[in-house]
Amino acid sequence: MLRSDNMKQGAGRAPQRSLLKAAGLTDEQIYKPLIGIVNSFNEIVPGHMHLDKIARAVKDGVLSAGGTPLEFNTIGVCDGIAMGHEGMRYSLCTRELIADSVECMVRAHALDALVFIPSCDKVVPGMLMAAARLNLPCIFLSGGPMLSLQGEQGPMDLNSVFEAVGAHTIGQMDEEQLKQVEDNACPSCGSCSGMFTANSMNCLSEALGLALPGNGTLPAVYSARLRLAKQAGQQVMKVLEQNLTCRQILNAKALKNALTVDMALGCSTNSALHLAAIAHEAGLEFNLDMINELSASTPNLCKLAPAGKHHMQDLHAAGGVYAVIKQLFDAGKIDGSAMTVLGVPMAQAAQNAQVKDASVIRPMDDPYAQVGGLAVLRGNIAPKGAIVKQSAVAPEMLRHEGPARVFDSEDAAEKAIFGGKIQKGDVVVIRYEGPKGGPGMREMLSPTSAIAGMGLDKDVALITDGRFSGATRGAAIGHVSPEAASGGPIGLIEEGDIIAIDIPGRSLQVKLTPEEMERRRKAFALPPKKPLTGYLKRYAMLVSSADRGAVFEESEG
């Protein structure tokens, strides 16, 4: 029996069938399985502008396999366009809106299975959260990554533009050169071309077993992406026939596999935030210590932008995510019994994958580093943890001590950076930008890119209770928990305090005695609350800390 039968079968459901017919469906279409095509198409975001064509291909696949595709849309924010102004407060919070809206549409209309078509940063985890919550047969098919073109300084991406702004600020780049970068760094549709958050999550969808091979790396503009979309539409019908629901795939084994692949690929720091939220929806245990445990035993095999010169098209040509999975499996670091939407376990799904370019996907015995891409730091600044993309940190900044330059907002820090007030050796501290305090936990690509563009990324560190773009490189430590707005000790730091960063030692400390910390804690007072209205006001009231994935707190009773 189909789930949709509860909505469409029997004489009593004639009104529902009448409405479906008003939508143009025939009797034959109504009585076939109803497959929700969850699309995030819009005409604002380059990662989403082509998803109407992707959705058409998915629907063709569903139709060819005997289903009735029914498309509906979610919202989707471009973090790059939203960056550096009020818009960034509305990025992370859309993740919950997306999950909720998908749940409402699917439950209200009794759909049988789902094909999710995400692309950009918060859409992928939002849809993964919805998939876990709904627990229906489903498959993920992203819009694919943007291409990267060669510039004067090497391959370019969105981060190149942000860093060019920093170079322009200090006179190392003129207006014409800046315009050249602006015109060529983002040359096609698709999610931005490095191992930034969107591409990280689309790659991890493969590692979770919820997407077909190639989902995370096959460029958006390749016709093979349309063929993959048709295959996804066909495959969801097989997944439905097997009644292989999301949580039969998305279990503890899959989560561990995804974290392992995350460490090998050097994914965005935001993956920690989103995997925690996805695990929460799936009822799985997740804590930040899992990241350090797996990072300690998983070598970093890839250095994609911003950590290195390679981009998603290079990873795809080198064999893609499944080539990385195969290497990890052969080394005993992947659980091959984890199920996939191919209807076979991961070991079987990856058995024919091959590394085609060892300069992009390093062998296990010659990795970029013996430890994984992410690290969790703890200490008297971050007792509940902070995240750094250690694979994108210059070796000389893995350990650093310097005076704190304290700012209570990203805007104040950015003004100081562009004003030339940050010196070599400084540690920029940006607080009250966490999930509650921001609210919305803004990404801070502008400050970090300005520091890099000014040539200070090997001399200046930045720590925040906010977060960073996946495009960020350098000693940028985010997700400091508890956040300042919740009384976290990052709020106790004063200008000139010495901050000690030890990434290999997993430590983040302000060099103050416990007695001095306690004295400051007793004198501490939160700043006046920001005047909030609408969704941001509700979000700030409900959202949890970053170490828990910035999920909504569940009320008792």
Side-chain angles (χ1 to χ4, degrees), residues 7-19:
M7 176 269 293
K8 67 190 183 186
Q9 289 278 16
R13 297 303 189 206
Q16 285 83 353
R17 292 193 297 274
S18 181
L19 289 167

Side-chain angles (χ1 to χ4, degrees), residues 194-496:
M195 188 55 79
F196 310 149
T197 304
N199 292 327
S200 294
M201 295 309 301
N202 283 322
C203 287
L204 295 183
S205 296
E206 292 186 50
L208 288 168
L210 289 169
L212 297 179
N215 174 71
T217 59
L218 180 58
V221 295
Y222 287 11
S223 295
R225 173 64 58 177
L226 295 175
R227 298 196 297 273
L228 188 68
K230 292 175 183 177
Q231 292 167 15
Q234 294 169 330
Q235 188 62 30
V236 78
M237 297 301 294
K238 296 178 182 178
V239 175
L240 173 61
E241 184 179 352
Q242 297 173 0
N243 196 28
L244 184 56
T245 60
C246 178
R247 276 188 243 161
Q248 293 176 49
I249 297 172
L250 181 55
N251 53 28
K253 292 186 289 188
L255 182 62
K256 185 176 180 181
N257 282 347
L259 280 167
T260 301
V261 172
D262 190 335
M263 298 306 115
L265 288 176
C267 290
S268 164
T269 53
N270 286 314
S271 65
L273 192 74
H274 299 319
L275 287 173
I278 293 161
H280 174 77
E281 291 289 352
L284 301 173
E285 179 186 356
F286 182 93
N287 63 70
L288 294 182
D289 292 332
M290 295 166 64
I291 292 175
N292 279 346
E293 290 167 10
L294 289 171
S295 183
S297 61
T298 307
N300 179 212
L301 303 180
C302 301
K303 269 194 180 292
L304 279 75
K309 64 180 181 179
H310 298 131
H311 288 79
M312 298 307 294
Q313 64 207 47
D314 304 310
L315 178 58
H316 184 71
V321 175
Y322 264 66
V324 177
I325 290 172
K326 181 63 163 60
Q327 282 202 164
L328 293 169
F329 173 73
D330 288 344
K333 298 185 182 298
I334 288 287
D335 190 331
S337 68
M339 186 54 68
T340 72
V341 289
L342 289 168
V344 299
M346 184 64 77
Q348 185 176 342
Q351 64 183 350
N352 295 322
Q354 296 179 4
V355 175
K356 301 174 184 177
D357 187 342
S359 70
V360 179
I361 303 173
R362 288 278 189 91
M364 296 292 290
D365 59 0
D366 184 28
Y368 283 103
Q370 293 295 335
V371 294
L374 299 184
V376 175
L377 312 184
R378 295 185 190 272
N380 61 0
I381 296 175
K384 291 188 177 181
I387 302 285
V388 63
K389 188 171 183 174
Q390 61 183 350
S391 60
V393 179
E396 53 265 51
M397 287 298 290
L398 290 171
R399 291 185 174 89
H400 177 78
E401 286 193 12
R405 303 298 311 280
V406 182
F407 304 95
D408 286 348
S409 71
E410 176 190 6
D411 309 278
E414 194 172 319
K415 184 177 180 181
I417 293 166
F418 283 113
K421 297 181 179 179
I422 302 302
Q423 307 301 317
K424 289 185 177 182
D426 286 349
V427 178
V428 176
V429 178
I430 304 177
R431 59 197 183 188
Y432 298 105
E433 290 287 6
K436 285 183 182 293
M441 202 179 184
R442 290 195 284 180
E443 281 186 348
M444 299 183 192
L445 182 55
S446 292
T448 56
S449 296
I451 287 171
M454 293 173 177
L456 294 173
D457 57 300
K458 295 181 180 179
D459 300 286
V460 171
L462 195 154
I463 67 173
T464 180
D465 54 8
R467 61 196 178 92
F468 297 109
S469 165
T472 292
R473 63 185 173 96
I477 301 164
H479 304 201
V480 169
S481 298
E483 62 177 291
S486 295
I490 190 174
L492 306 180
I493 298 173
E494 296 178 0
E495 188 82 7

